[in-house]
Amino acid sequence: MNITRRTMLATTGLTVAGVIGGAASATSAQAAAWRVPGEEAAHRRTWMAWPHSTTIWGNLLSKIQADIAKLAKEIAKYEPVTMCANGSTNASRARSMCGSTVTVISSVPVSDCWMRDAGPLFRVDGAGNRDAFGLNFNAWGENATSFYGIPASAYNNDRALAKNLTAYLGLPFAKAGVVGEGGGIEYDGDGTLIATESCWVNPNRNPGKTRAQIEAELLARFGASKMIWVPGVTGQDVTDGHIDGTARYIGPGVVMVQLAGAVRPDVWTRNALAIRDTLAGATDARGRRLQVLTIEGPDTLPRIPSGQRKDFLSSYMNWTLTNQAVITVQFGDTAKDAAARTAIANAFGRPVVQLNLDNLYGNGGGGAHCVTMQEPQP
């Protein structure tokens, strides 16, 4: 069973209408008090999830596990890592593959490895308090079933992951009034969000809700006051075009966009240019015109068979931040790998580690950001 998370498919349409529920009614005072910090802020730890399901991964499972273990061990050099595994047997395998520097727990059930999309988003209030909310993960608008035929029940643990992990930590938890994934939104911790319409204003996640209603709910939950919408791409991958493969915050007022390299299909090239142009003309919640940095994706994927390259997530942008370093990937395109490493290091002022995660980015179609979630310091 060869599951590719970003397989090219026919484009589907969008509909928007209707009203949002009462969960969107957070007051402006609440929004100001609680916020999701930017990812560059100090972390208490990184959370990850151990893939274990052959229903989801088939004979690719061991390769995906190897990449998850490699990434976890690298992150653990810079900050604590806690890995959720589904029961004692899976926890034992995770411990054997990840080693002693990674903490593995078996008390928070998981379905798969996509902690960014299914896990909780942590907030702080400036007074040392923390809470969390969930985005009601529904397996990317049930695309896991419609694209790949994976039973919806295969993701049942991940549908409850945000709530269960937060309960494990003993923190207050709330469900958002919208459905989506953490990889579908970028936040600067200073009042501004960036998201693709293709993920959120989509009947497979938020039927009957307008863009304005979805925006109001996300702003309230994140403690932000301005949303910058970019178009995205519907139906071309299971995520409907998550923002974190193309554009990321470096910090307040500064974003980086990856322009597609020669290996990416034209639809992604056009999408990257549209996102760049939208952000270049945008101002944030503080009135700053965004500084837009750009890098280029790889032109070659020498380790990947030619027939698999169009579906490969060739994104340097899908990095994960740690307290002391940025962890991203290398694809074997020597010149582009080096240029990306230099640009990211210069932007963050932190060392950049580039790993070979071909199985995760290729067969998984997701990356280092997709499988991690930072827990901020209060």
Side-chain angles (χ1 to χ4, degrees), residues 18-57:
V19 296
I20 197 165
S25 61
T27 68
S28 59
Q30 288 173 317
W34 290 95
R35 67 183 179 88
V36 178
E39 293 182 35
E40 79 284 356
H43 298 177
R44 175 173 288 199
R45 78 185 104 186
T46 287
W47 286 94
M48 297 183 68
W50 186 251
H52 68 279
S53 172
T54 54
T55 299
I56 294 173
W57 289 109

Side-chain angles (χ1 to χ4, degrees), residues 18-90:
V19 296
I20 197 165
S25 61
T27 68
S28 59
Q30 288 173 317
W34 290 95
R35 67 183 179 88
V36 178
E39 293 182 35
E40 79 284 356
H43 298 177
R44 175 173 288 199
R45 78 185 104 186
T46 287
W47 286 94
M48 297 183 68
W50 186 251
H52 68 279
S53 172
T54 54
T55 299
I56 294 173
W57 289 109
N59 59 12
L60 295 170
L61 180 60
S62 62
K63 294 180 179 180
I64 298 300
Q65 288 177 335
D67 273 7
I68 292 293
K70 181 191 296 186
L71 177 61
K73 287 188 285 188
E74 190 63 36
I75 296 171
K77 295 177 182 178
Y78 306 102
E79 67 186 52
V81 176
T82 302
M83 181 82 67
C84 297
N86 201 54
S88 58
T89 299
N90 292 310

Side-chain angles (χ1 to χ4, degrees), residues 84-144:
C84 297
N86 201 54
S88 58
T89 299
N90 292 310
S92 178
R93 179 165 175 80
R95 290 186 187 103
S96 69
M97 294 185 68
C98 293
S100 61
T101 62
V102 175
T103 299
V104 179
I105 62 172
S106 59
S107 50
V108 179
V110 293
S111 301
D112 205 354
C113 58
W114 310 110
M115 181 61 78
R116 177 69 48 181
D117 290 348
L121 285 133
F122 296 98
R123 304 193 304 181
V124 299
D125 70 351
N129 300 308
R130 294 180 299 146
D131 71 1
F133 65 92
L135 289 169
N136 305 297
F137 178 74
N138 71 341
W140 309 282
E142 307 301 345
N143 282 341

